[in-house]
Amino acid sequence: MLGCMTDWASWHLQYEDPGSELSQRLVAVQEQIALALQRAAPGSPRLLSLCAGDGRDVLPVLAGHPRGRDVTGRLVELDPVLSGAARAAAPPSIEVLTADAGSTAACAGAVPADLLLLCGIFGNVGDADVARTVAAVPALLATGGTVIWTRHRRAPDLTVRIRSWLSEAGVEEVAFATAPGSGWSVGAGVLRARSAPMPTPGGRLFTFQAREG
Ligand SMILES: C[S@@+](CC[C@H](N)C(=O)[O-])C[C@H]1O[C@@H](n2cnc3c(N)ncnc32)[C@H](O)[C@@H]1O
């Protein structure tokens, strides 16, 4: 079942409150995006954001960062309202696809990326899908590239396993920021292993679970 069952445009309204948990998570994500751009090798870093929403995490950072104009790449978002908003805000170097990001087809031509955003995905898919997506990081990311991911820490806290899976995939953790309690977490890691072919070419990384609200 694809993610359009949920009203994700309404979900984004939580960002309008700067004190909301989601707004605090956004700050943590944007900090890691800026640091990743600083770390990126000279040239044109390639961006891939899956389930990108309206792009409010990465697009403002690109607009204000000294490396931002160099960045090329793709945002993939299924909801046409949100992808339309992202497209309107994106510079010409950033393509916005209205597509199912859980299909590896949505990544074709945009990988390996130097900056991979997996934000707002791991709390909405099954554990096996999280594991499969993490295992695909070496195919989605170039060596030396950064993956930024998010996940709540409600029991049973899957972040422990996600961090371990990332390490097994050759990703060295460079940051793990958390909200108090069992709220959000934001992880960032750099792929130290060699980039690899897609483990499931023409297949699926994840399928969003239906949610209310
Ligand atoms: C939790 S929100 C995260 C949005 C954004 N990454 C952020 O962190 O603000 C999940 C997003 O995934 C989108 N989505 C759901 N299923 C999808 C799919 N199969 N392919 C692409 N996007 C999807 C939703 O429309 C929504 O914008």
Side-chain angles (χ1 to χ4, degrees):
M1 193 174 303
L2 298 182
C4 273
M5 294 293 291
T6 299
D7 182 355
W8 288 110
S10 296
W11 177 89
H12 276 70
L13 293 177
Q14 298 170 77
Y15 281 125
E16 301 308 318
D17 173 5
S20 70
E21 287 229 343
L22 202 57
S23 292
Q24 290 164 17
R25 189 190 86 173
L26 177 66
V27 171
V29 169
Q30 289 182 327
E31 277 173 8
Q32 292 308 317
I33 293 171
L35 290 170
L37 291 179
Q38 251 166 260
R39 267 195 305 273
S44 300
R46 294 217 292 177
L47 163 72
L48 177 62
S49 177
L50 300 183
C51 300
D54 62 8
R56 74 174 65 203
D57 46 10
V58 69
L59 297 177
V61 179
L62 297 187
H65 195 280
R67 298 291 307 276
R69 280 194 193 164
D70 301 340
V71 177
T72 64
R74 181 181 298 168
L75 273 53
V76 186
E77 166 57 45
L78 189 62
D79 183 305
V81 173
L82 293 168
S83 62
R87 200 171 291 116
S93 58
I94 303 295
E95 168 190 29
V96 180
L97 280 192
T98 306
D100 176 11
S103 160
T104 56
C107 306
V111 294
D114 301 294
L115 174 55
L116 172 66
L117 301 185
L118 302 173
C119 298
I121 298 176
F122 292 165
N124 293 294
V125 303
D127 293 2
D129 281 10
V130 176
R132 187 178 306 111
T133 304
V134 168
V137 167
L140 299 173
L141 208 52
T143 302
T146 299
V147 56
I148 299 172
W149 57 276
T150 66
R151 160 82 194 201
H152 65 75
R153 292 186 304 129
R154 292 192 289 278
D157 180 2
L158 194 69
T159 64
V160 177
R161 296 178 71 195
I162 293 172
R163 297 167 77 190
S164 160
W165 291 333
L166 280 163
S167 173
E168 285 164 22
V171 174
E172 179 192 359
E173 187 171 274
V174 294
F176 184 64
T178 59
S182 59
W184 55 262
S185 68
V186 174
V190 172
L191 181 66
R192 300 297 182 199
R194 295 176 89 164
S195 199
M198 192 67 78
T200 52
R204 293 208 64 77
L205 296 172
F206 55 80
T207 300
F208 256 54
Q209 294 171 343
R211 270 178 31 148
E212 293 302 319

